[in-house]
Amino acid sequence: MSSNPEDSKVTTTSSIQRRELRTLCGVGMLHAFTHVYHVALMPLYLMIHEDLKSGSMDHTTFLMTAMMTAYFMPSYWVGALADRMDRRKLLGIGLLINGAGFAAFSQVDSYIGAVLCMVVSGIGGSFYHPAATAMIADQFPQREGKAFGLVGIGASVGFLIGPVYSGWRASASETLIGAAAWRNPVMELGVAGVIAGLLFLWLAPKDCPGRNAPHTSPDHPQNKWMSSGTFVVLILTALAFSLRDFTGFGMGSLGSLFLQKAHGWSVQETGFALSMIFIGTIISNPVFGTLSDKRRFSWLAGVLVIAGFLVTTFPLLPSSFIMPVLFIYGFFFIASYPMVEAALMEAAPVAYRGRISGLFVLVGGLIGNLAHWILGWRVENLGSEAGQMSAYQSSFTTLGCLVVISLSGIFGFRYLIKVWKADEKT
């Protein structure tokens, strides 16, 4: 009997679609846990500060700085691994370490121990972006924006669950155990991440970058991305968008302290308010990601200008407007992330996507991550004025301006796309 070519084609297409669905769901789940750990502590700062007796408030917010520094530092080297080995293993093992470090943090009694646990958790988290970005770009060519937008839903869910769950769980047990109530949600979220990492290693499809990358050698033209001029442009582009990241991190930490100190909101109320930033992104990430596949930089500029304006006006708002504005801000601001990732992967040579993504995350993330510590220090130095809303205006105005300035990175992307695409044609 002869097989029907049409049936074979349908079977192959169906197999590819199932693989793509498993990849999107699995990577989206990891994306959720990666970002749960980035925001779960934000409503808990005051509890952690009291329980660990960590000195000044900037010491407490430094815990996030320590975690995120460890998260960004290994990015380039993880990206190099992602260009050579099964990314499924990198992603699964990374979440195991990330969750275990976070769970261990809930059991420490000293500030030094807390910092060490945050560093371990951050190192595990560093496995995600370089490996996942290269993996998605390889499996969804010409559809990068849409794919990154869909995976971005996972980040939205993580950002949403993190502050809501930690704020609710800590408030629920505060009357029984006092300031130590922050430990319960931290332990539970850490253990959940370990379980999710094991499930991903078991169920996710293998991803071997070697089969997607073109032949390369020391003399291959694609190595041109390492030339000094192109390297400098890549670094400057990453630095430009690190200003956006600084604002993103800053809105979490500064917003949390602002709502609790100036508005007198509880931990639970603050956690719920911060979650507003991420609810709308479940829609905006895939929508703007898909739209950006046709006019990427126009959409990117639009969402960031709107976000910058909203950040600047945030401390002027009455209490009743805070949650709706946080929702609108997040709807536009977070949608910029899949567009930037898609632009970077559109430009990057296939064989170096992991390293280029890792370098971009390393440079941009280290600068952006300073927001937790700098803004914690800023609030600490407000002294008695920390209860006045007007005292925060200069900080929020600075953050809003940084978002708009970050758009200068578009010129860098245009240059990189021109150089790297011309190099591939050669």
Side-chain angles (χ1 to χ4, degrees), residues 375-392:
L375 293 172
W377 170 83
R378 168 67 175 152
V379 172
E380 180 72 21
N381 281 273
L382 288 177
S384 60
E385 295 182 354
Q388 302 176 19
M389 288 179 280
S390 59
Y392 296 82

Side-chain angles (χ1 to χ4, degrees), residues 25-162:
C25 291
V27 174
M29 177 183 70
L30 264 66
H31 207 181
F33 276 100
T34 298
H35 290 298
V36 158
Y37 301 139
H38 293 176
V39 294
L41 299 187
M42 290 178 180
L44 308 177
Y45 282 148
L46 297 182
M47 281 187 176
I48 295 171
H49 180 70
E50 181 181 348
D51 187 41
L52 292 182
K53 297 176 175 58
S54 55
S56 61
M57 181 57 66
D58 59 305
H59 287 172
T60 303
T61 57
F62 179 77
L63 291 172
M64 277 304 302
T65 300
M67 178 185 181
M68 299 306 293
T69 299
Y71 176 85
F72 293 121
M73 282 294 291
S75 294
Y76 175 78
W77 294 274
V78 173
L81 290 175
D83 287 332
R84 293 179 171 89
M85 64 179 289
D86 185 353
R87 292 152 182 165
R88 178 195 58 170
K89 293 181 180 179
L90 279 176
L91 291 168
I93 293 171
L95 184 55
L96 289 176
I97 299 171
N98 199 359
F102 204 73
F105 169 54
S106 70
Q107 302 302 303
V108 301
D109 293 316
S110 69
Y111 181 72
I112 296 299
V115 172
L116 290 176
C117 288
M118 288 290 93
V119 168
V120 171
S121 183
I123 290 173
S126 72
F127 286 41
Y128 177 78
H129 274 287
T133 302
M135 183 179 184
I136 293 299
D138 280 4
Q139 293 195 25
F140 297 88
Q142 309 304 317
R143 296 176 291 160
E144 294 98 338
K146 181 178 181 179
F148 283 121
L150 290 171
V151 169
I153 293 175
S156 303
V157 171
F159 281 131
L160 172 62
I161 291 176

Side-chain angles (χ1 to χ4, degrees), residues 276-281 322-332:
M276 289 293 104
I277 296 174
F278 310 106
I279 291 178
T281 63
I322 285 177
M323 289 193 188
V325 169
L326 285 175
F327 176 91
I328 299 169
Y329 155 76
F331 185 88
F332 290 104

